[in-house]
Amino acid sequence: MTTTATAHSEEDNIVACTIRREPDGFELLIEDMETALGDSWGDLGFAEALMFFNQPDARSLEFIAVAMDEQDEDNIVMLGEVISQARDHGIKVILIAEDVSPSALHQLLRKGADEFVPYPLPEGELAAAIERVKTPEPVVDDTAPVRKAKRGTKEGALIVCHGLAGGTGSTTFAVNFAWELANSAKKDQPPPTVCVLDLDLQFGAVGTYLDLPRREAIYELLSDTEAMDDDVFKQALLDYEGKLQVLTSPSEMLPLDLINSEDVMRLIEMASSHFDFVVVDMPSTLVQWSETILTAAHVYFALIELDMRSAQNTQRLKRALQAEDLPVEKLRYVLNRAPKSLDLNGKSRVKRLAESLDITIEVMLPDGGRTVVQSCDHGQPLGLSAAKNPLRKEIQKLAKSIYELGEQSAEATAA
C-alpha cells in the first residue's frame, strides 16, 4: 500500500502510518500492515511526516511504524525529530530496522520509540508489537508497595581498575587480579565468588583475554537495566573455568552514554548482591557515570607507567576530581612495568614522579615480558599459563592481601 495518509480521511479514520524513505521499500512491512489494519492506515516519507502531525487527520493516529536501514543513518537527526514529535502528540512509535548500527538504535530508542522490531519481520512480530502499543498502560497505584528486582543477599566488595593512559595494562591487571582473588582461599575454606564487569563498551577486551564469546544478551541487559532481576543478570554472565563469572563488553562498539549513572548503580548493586568481589574494568575515558563508580568503589586502582603520558593524565584526573569535590583520595596508584630492584636510576625516577604529582604509589608491578602478551592471546590468566611469572606473583600477593582484609572485615562485622 503506497497511498498517502490523507487518501483515507474521508472514509475511515487513519489509526496508523508507516514512515519510510522510499515508497517501494520494506514490502514485508506493508503486507503485515494490510493484514493487521486493512485500509485504516497510511504511508508517508520522512519529511511529509513532520508536516502531517500538525494536520487534523493526524488526531486519530494511534501509532506510527518508522522503517529504516543503514542508508537512513545519515537522516538520524530527522528521524529523531519524527519520533519526538510523535511522542509530543501522544502517538506511539514502532521502530522497524534493518542492518542499523546499535548506536543509531540506541539514539532513536532514547528519543522515545516504544517498540523495536528487526527487519525482515519475524512472523507475527509486527502484530504483537501493535497489540502492545495499543494496550493501555496500567494505572500506577502510588500507595502500593514498590516491587524491587529480585537480588542476592551478599554485600560484595567493588574493586575498580582504571588505566590512566593507553597500554598501562588495566585489563591485564583486572583479569589476573580477579583470577587470583578467586583462588585466594586456603584449601580448607570455601573459595570467594568473583565477578568481572567489563564496562569499556567500545574497546573492552576482558572477553578476548579469557577467550569468551560476546553475546547480544549484554546489549539487551544494558539497554534496559530497570527490568533486570537476578535471573536476567545471571543469564548475561559467562563462566570461566568454574572460578569467574564475566560480563563481557557488547559485541558491537557502543556509545559510552548507552548507560547512565542509574544504570551503572543498578548493575553494580546487582553484582555485589551475588558475589563476594566485583572487579570492574573501566574505560580510560571519564564518562557521566565515572563518579558513580568512584563513589561506590571500595578500592579504586589507577594504573600508570613511568612516562610523561601517565604523569600528565594523572595530574588532569586529580584536577578534574578535585574541581567536582569528588573523593580523589580513593585512588590507589599502581605503577606497571616498574623498574627492577637494582635499577637505582629507575627508583629515583619513580620517587620524583610521585613527589611531583603529590601521590603515593602503593603498588609496583614488574614487567612480565612477552609471556604476558602471549598469555592474553591464549585466553588464559597468568596463573594458568605462566605461574612463575614475576608479574603474576606480585598480583597474587596483592589479591591475597585484599582477600585477607575482606575476611578480617567480615569477622569484625560478625563479632
Side-chain angles (χ1 to χ4, degrees), residues 165-412:
T168 55
S170 171
T171 302
T172 300
F173 177 76
V175 169
N176 284 282
F177 182 79
W179 175 259
E180 298 302 337
L181 266 179
N183 291 276
S184 294
K186 297 178 181 179
K187 291 183 179 179
D188 59 341
Q189 294 177 319
T193 54
V194 181
C195 175
V196 183
L197 305 179
D198 191 347
L199 294 187
D200 189 346
L201 305 185
Q202 296 183 334
F203 299 105
V206 170
T208 303
Y209 276 42
L210 295 175
D211 196 21
L212 296 172
R214 301 169 194 251
R215 302 186 300 170
E216 290 297 327
I218 306 299
Y219 174 71
E220 295 172 5
L221 172 71
L222 297 177
S223 298
D224 188 11
T225 60
E226 290 186 27
M228 176 179 60
D229 60 14
D230 60 350
D231 293 329
V232 173
F233 175 68
K234 289 180 178 178
Q235 287 172 5
L237 299 177
L238 291 173
D239 177 80
Y240 182 79
E241 297 291 335
K243 298 290 186 73
L244 296 178
Q245 295 293 314
V246 182
L247 185 76
T248 69
S249 59
S251 56
E252 301 291 340
M253 185 182 294
L254 300 177
L256 293 175
D257 64 352
L258 172 71
I259 51 178
N260 56 31
S261 298
E262 291 77 15
D263 295 322
V264 170
M265 182 56 70
R266 294 187 194 105
L267 187 61
I268 60 178
E269 286 180 348
M270 179 64 73
S272 298
S273 73
H274 287 286
F275 295 92
D276 298 312
F277 294 97
V278 178
V279 178
V280 176
D281 189 23
M282 292 284 286
S284 58
T285 307
L286 285 182
V287 288
Q288 174 196 2
W289 39 269
S290 296
E291 176 183 350
T292 303
I293 293 286
L294 176 62
T295 304
H298 294 87
V299 181
Y300 198 107
F301 289 121
L303 280 87
I304 60 175
E305 288 190 3
L306 194 57
D307 58 20
M308 187 60 69
R309 300 174 310 134
S310 295
Q312 291 177 338
N313 290 350
T314 299
Q315 192 173 52
R316 292 168 180 162
L317 177 63
K318 285 185 61 182
R319 288 175 178 171
L321 297 181
Q322 290 168 345
E324 297 295 328
D325 198 24
L326 296 176
V328 66
E329 67 278 358
K330 274 196 171 186
L331 299 181
R332 297 290 179 263
Y333 294 96
V334 178
L335 179 63
N336 197 13
R337 303 181 182 92
K340 297 180 180 179
S341 58
L342 297 179
D343 185 356
L344 299 182
N345 181 51
K347 286 198 166 186
S348 176
R349 291 176 60 202
V350 172
K351 183 179 179 182
R352 290 199 303 270
L353 174 68
E355 290 176 349
S356 65
L357 296 175
D358 191 23
I359 63 174
T360 300
I361 298 177
E362 300 184 20
V363 181
M364 291 202 291
L365 301 176
D367 188 346
R370 292 176 58 86
T371 306
V372 176
V373 178
Q374 293 170 355
S375 172
C376 298
D377 284 344
H378 293 162
Q380 289 184 320
L382 290 169
L384 293 178
S385 62
K388 295 183 179 180
N389 186 279
L391 176 61
R392 185 262 171 165
K393 290 182 178 180
E394 198 63 35
I395 294 177
Q396 184 184 40
K397 287 194 296 184
L398 178 62
K400 284 188 175 180
S401 67
I402 295 291
Y403 171 74
E404 291 170 358
L405 183 63
E407 288 290 287
Q408 294 171 7
S409 176
E411 290 174 0

